[in-house]
Structures are given as structure tokens and as C-alpha cells.
Amino acid sequence: MNVVLLCLLFPSIALLLLHREASFRDSQLERNIVQMRRSLEIRSASLSRSLAISAEEAIAGYDFSFLNNMLNQVASNDPELRYSMVMGFDRKVLVHSNPKRLGIILDDPLTHRAVSLFGRDFPLILADKQHVEHVRYHEGIGFFDEGTDTILETVTPIYNGIRLFGVLRCGYSLAGLENEITTAKNVWAIEQKRLKISLLSLTAVFFSVGVVVAVLFTRSLVRAIDVLNIGVKRVAKGDLEHEIQYQGMVCKELIGLSQDMNMMTYRLRTSYQQLDEYSRSLEEKVDERTHELREAQSHLMEQAHEAGMAEMAVGILHNIGNAMTPAKISTIYLMKRLRESPLRSHLGKKIPLVYSVVDQDSTLNSLEKKNLLRFIELLPQSIREEYDQAIDELGRIQSKHDHIESIISLQMRYARLLGNRVEVDLNRLIDDSLVILGEALVKRSIRVIKMYEDLPAIRIEEAKMVQIIINLIKNAYEAMDELEPSDRRLMLSTSVEKGNPDQVVLSVKDCGIGFTEEEKGSLFQFGYSSKSRGSGFGLHSCANYLIANKCSITAQSKGENMGAEFVVRIPVSASEKDAET
């Protein structure tokens, strides 16, 4: 195909060049014709001026015989000069190169054109003779005895003294010029025809060669396409074992297509095999997915139950807070009554009076009086001590009430903040978590070591973050249940990531049972727990929430009974961008 196109392109370009050459030759021929005509006009003008000067001299001397002979001789020597004459105002021929035409009255178109110049281009009275030696040209058909020709006629004024006598008319035949022009055109037409024939012949040769080459190439191309077509049809019928034999194909595109077709057949065959294997194990996978769905359903039901229990717990905490308020008020009232009791405050002042009365009583013997006086002496101190013990006990009850109220207040506060992202202080969240777990930490004799740094505020769900911290602290102190109380240490630290000021780090470290490298890979998986009563949901939900909020959590341990450390990283920069959006 490319060869055929090339064979067609070459003659197209050649025809374009031939057309441009023809246009150039035509313009050149037109310029030559104009130049030839201009040369004829210059020569005729020069001759007409010379004849006009001689004619004026002959007319001045009335020597018309000399003028006739001169015009006749000039016409005889110049083959292109068909005639020359002197014509008067009445169109009468006064002098003519052909004696036969002397004295006749002319009535042809060229004569009327020459007469029209009188009085317009040639004035009758001359002021300055230099300004009227003009030669005028016009063309027309001249009538002669031997036929007609196209004549280029010059009209020159002739004066007798200062008056216009007539005009000198010289007629030049354009037949020679036309013959030269016709000959030049015929030569160029013949040359152009020869070029066209040569070009057409060359085009035919090129086209024939292109067709032969195309046919030879197309045979192998058609054979390759036929092989490819047969292979595609066999694959379409389901014969995936068939491979297209592309050896011997001359077109690399068809070779590549055959290779791609074989590759596609191989992949289809492989896919069918995989589908067959997958269909065999589909039933097992369905059972497995069904089991996972049941577990997920159970987990969702458990979450729903926990959500309901959390809602009930919030209500119960509210009711407990309401019920404890009167008890707190009563405790404060009793403490006030005991502190302000007259018996506790004023009994000591009345003892000397009672003491004197008893001392003066004669009904008592000395031993009874001594014992009674001793009792009276000890009574105010005993009552004060008894009242102070009651006040201290009520104070402890009040502090317990305050502690319970703070826990209820924190629980209620974080329950209401669920889902709200605000800027918070991580150190304060840790302290609140310790307050909530305070009873459990004291009960287990956990020694809490806090190492805080000044941190930038982070934007996160406050309630969720408190739940994560509580979960990590709870896992840490439960991991230390098997240790002696004196060995139970919980270390909480916060800092800014070294080398990355936009990262806040929380570390929760214990000295409990730890974990192995094998267990480390399963710590954050759903359902995994190292505790006998654990659900395996806490660390999994913590990790999911942190990852979803562009945070991270990692765990590390040196081995069993070597403690564990959980590290949470929160990017401050990401939190600020969330605040902006």
C-alpha cells in the first residue's frame, strides 16, 4: 500500500511542478510578446518621425513627387510596412506609397480614427512645434488588394509652417508578430504535451511496479491474515489449547497480534482453570463467610448490648448522683452540728462548777468522791474525742462522696462528648483517666509514675481518646495482677517526637507478663486476647480508630514476664488541617 501511495504521490508532485512551470512559461511568453510589440512601436515611432520631417520639407517645397518616391521606397524596403501616406483633413490621400491610391477618399475605420485626432491631439495652430511632434497608435483591420491584415497604424502630424497640413499614416502589419507568437505557443504546447506524455508514462511505470510489489507483498499478508482468522475462530469456538503459528509472517504487527492472541488464550485458559478450582472450594468459602457473618452479627449484637448498657449506665450514674446529693448535704449538716455542739464547746467551762458541787457533797465517801471527780474531769475530753472521731469519719464520707461525684461527672461529661472533635490537652485526658480508674489502681496497689512534657493541643474526639487511654491503663494493671504489690509500677509519659515537632507521643508502660514476638502480630486483631475473660475487641477498636484519624499505635516487649509498652502517636499538623477543613 505504501508503494502504491508513493507511486501516486510522485506524479502528483510532478503535475504540480509541471503546472507551475507552465504558468511561468506563459507569463514569460506574455512578457516576450509585450517586449516584441514595444520594440515594434519604438521602431515605427522612430520611422514615422523621420518620414514626417522629410514630408514637411517636401510639402514646404511642393515637391510631392519626391515624397511619393520616398514613401514608396521605404515601403519596399520594410516588409512589415504595408503602407505609408499623407492624408488631408477631408480624408483625401495626398501622397501614398502605392501610386494607385493617390487622390482617393478613404472611408475605413482606421481613417475615421485618424481623422478624430484632428483638433484634439493635434492643434491646428502651433505655439511651440516641439510639443506636438506626437505619434499616436491604433489598431484595426487594413484592407488591401491581396487581402486583410491586422494593422498597427502610427499617426503623426505634418505641418506647413505653423498650420496643421495633415497627418502621416504608416501601417505596420502584425501578421509577422502574430506568426511568431503563434509559433512560440505551438512550440511550448508541443513541449508541454511531450512532458505530459513522459510524465504519464513514468507514472504508469511506477504504478505498475507498485502494483506488482503490492501484489507480492499482499499475498504473504493475506496468508498471514487467513492464519490469524482461522486461529481466532477456533478460540471463539472454545478451543483454548490452539496456538496461532506466526512463524513466516512478514508483518511484525501481525506477529505481535498473534503473540498477544496466544497470550490472551493462555490467560483465558489459566483463568478457566482457576475458576474451576475456585468453584470446587466455593462451598467451603461460603461456609467460612457464613461463620464470619455470624461472628460479626454476634459482635454487632454485643456492641448494641454494650451501647444499651452504656446508656443505662449513664442513667444509673445520673440517678446515683441525684440520690447521693441528700446524703452529702446531711453529712455536711452533721459535721456542722458536731463542730458547733454546746456539749463539745462549753462543757469544759462548766466542769469547775460541777467539780465544786461534788467536792462539797457530804453524802459521798472519799473514794466515791475521788472517782466521781476523776470521771467529771475526763468527761469533756472524752466527749470532744468522740465528737472529733465522728467529724473525721463524716469527713472521710464527704471525701468519698466528692470522689464518686468527680467520677460520675467525668463519665457523664465524656458520654456527652462522644463524636465531637475539639482541641484538648493530652496530659489532662490522662489525669482524668487516672481519676476514673482511681479505685482500681488503689485496690491493686499500683504505683503510678507520671512523666509529662508541655504538649501542643491536639484535635480529636475527647471521649474516644479517654476510652483508648483507659483501655491501655486497664490492660497494663491487669497484666501486673500476678506480681507482688510492691513490684507493680505503671509508667505514663508524654512527649513531642524527636526530630518531628508535629508528632505527639503517649507511652503506657508496665512491668507485667509482656508478650512474645509471635503474639505481637495478633495483638490488634479482632477476637484475640491473652486474658481468659477478654473479648479481644479493645485493642482492635483502639487501633482502628487511631488509624482512621491519621494516628498510630505500636507495642513492644522484651519477652514474657518482661513488661510491655504501648506507644500512641498523634500528628499535630494533621489535626490542625482537620480543624481548618
Side-chain angles (χ1 to χ4, degrees), residues 449-468:
I449 303 172
K450 297 188 293 183
M451 294 177 289
Y452 295 166
E453 291 184 6
D454 292 334
L455 302 177
I458 60 173
R459 175 171 285 272
I460 201 165
E461 290 185 43
E462 192 171 353
K464 285 285 188 182
M465 196 65 208
V466 169
Q467 291 177 7
I468 291 172

Side-chain angles (χ1 to χ4, degrees), residues 419-488:
N420 296 328
R421 293 169 61 89
V422 294
E423 288 189 355
V424 296
D425 181 9
L426 183 60
N427 295 335
R428 181 181 63 79
L429 297 185
I430 298 173
D431 290 336
D432 291 346
S433 302
L434 291 174
V435 171
I436 295 173
L437 298 175
E439 289 292 334
L441 294 171
V442 173
K443 182 179 179 181
R444 286 178 166 81
S445 301
I446 304 296
R447 184 159 61 97
V448 179
I449 303 172
K450 297 188 293 183
M451 294 177 289
Y452 295 166
E453 291 184 6
D454 292 334
L455 302 177
I458 60 173
R459 175 171 285 272
I460 201 165
E461 290 185 43
E462 192 171 353
K464 285 285 188 182
M465 196 65 208
V466 169
Q467 291 177 7
I468 291 172
I469 297 172
I470 289 175
N471 192 290
L472 295 176
I473 294 175
K474 186 172 179 292
N475 288 342
Y477 69 62
E478 288 179 351
M480 296 185 288
D481 284 343
E482 298 180 3
L483 300 178
E484 294 295 329
S486 60
D487 297 333
R488 298 173 183 174

Side-chain angles (χ1 to χ4, degrees), residues 98-112:
N98 186 357
K100 296 180 180 181
R101 293 185 176 273
L102 288 174
I104 64 174
I105 305 299
L106 300 176
D107 193 22
D108 57 275
L110 289 177
T111 300
H112 288 287

Side-chain angles (χ1 to χ4, degrees), residues 81-115:
L81 182 63
R82 302 302 302 271
Y83 61 87
S84 61
M85 71 180 78
V86 177
M87 184 182 72
F89 293 106
D90 52 358
R91 294 181 282 120
K92 183 177 180 180
V93 179
L94 302 176
V95 181
H96 201 289
S97 58
N98 186 357
K100 296 180 180 181
R101 293 185 176 273
L102 288 174
I104 64 174
I105 305 299
L106 300 176
D107 193 22
D108 57 275
L110 289 177
T111 300
H112 288 287
R113 290 184 188 177
V115 171

Side-chain angles (χ1 to χ4, degrees), residues 236-379:
K237 291 180 180 179
D239 186 7
L240 299 180
E241 299 294 334
H242 177 72
E243 290 188 1
I244 299 175
Q245 303 298 325
Y246 51 83
Q247 289 80 8
M249 292 185 180
V250 295
C251 183
K252 62 180 181 180
E253 288 81 3
L254 292 178
I255 294 175
L257 183 61
S258 302
Q259 292 174 345
D260 293 340
M261 188 66 187
N262 291 337
M263 181 60 67
M264 182 185 67
T265 306
Y266 171 75
R267 290 178 178 175
L268 282 174
R269 184 167 62 250
T270 305
S271 299
Y272 281 164
Q273 292 174 355
Q274 292 175 352
L275 285 174
D276 188 48
E277 294 175 359
Y278 182 76
S279 63
R280 294 192 188 96
S281 59
L282 183 60
E283 201 169 314
E284 298 177 0
K285 291 184 178 181
V286 169
D287 293 339
E288 183 180 351
R289 295 300 181 190
T290 304
H291 179 68
E292 292 178 357
L293 288 173
R294 288 175 181 171
E295 288 183 351
Q297 183 180 8
S298 176
H299 172 61
L300 290 175
M301 292 178 66
E302 183 179 352
Q303 282 186 324
H305 176 70
E306 289 179 356
M309 293 297 292
E311 186 175 356
M312 290 177 60
V314 171
I316 292 172
L317 289 173
H318 181 73
N319 293 332
I320 292 174
N322 291 337
M324 288 184 64
T325 301
K328 182 179 180 181
I329 295 173
S330 298
T331 303
I332 296 172
Y333 177 74
L334 286 174
M335 290 176 65
K336 182 178 179 181
R337 288 286 302 272
L338 289 173
R339 288 192 183 98
E340 297 176 355
S341 173
L343 187 62
R344 177 176 177 273
S345 303
H346 306 295
L347 183 60
K349 298 177 182 180
K350 303 297 181 181
I351 289 300
L353 181 60
V354 177
Y355 189 81
S356 63
V357 172
V358 174
D359 188 37
Q360 295 175 5
D361 191 354
S362 58
T363 60
L364 299 174
N365 56 38
S366 60
L367 180 60
E368 290 177 344
K369 187 181 290 188
K370 182 180 180 180
N371 289 335
L372 183 59
L373 291 174
R374 179 63 180 167
F375 175 76
I376 292 171
E377 183 181 0
L378 295 176
L379 182 61

Side-chain angles (χ1 to χ4, degrees), residues 18 21-22 25-26 29 32-33 178-196:
L18 182 62
E21 179 68 18
R25 291 293 296 273
D26 290 341
L29 183 61
N32 292 338
I33 292 173
E178 292 177 353
N179 290 336
E180 291 182 7
I181 294 173
T182 303
T183 302
K185 290 183 177 179
N186 291 335
V187 170
W188 169 236
I190 293 171
E191 183 178 354
Q192 191 174 21
K193 183 177 181 180
R194 185 172 65 251
L195 287 174
K196 288 181 179 179

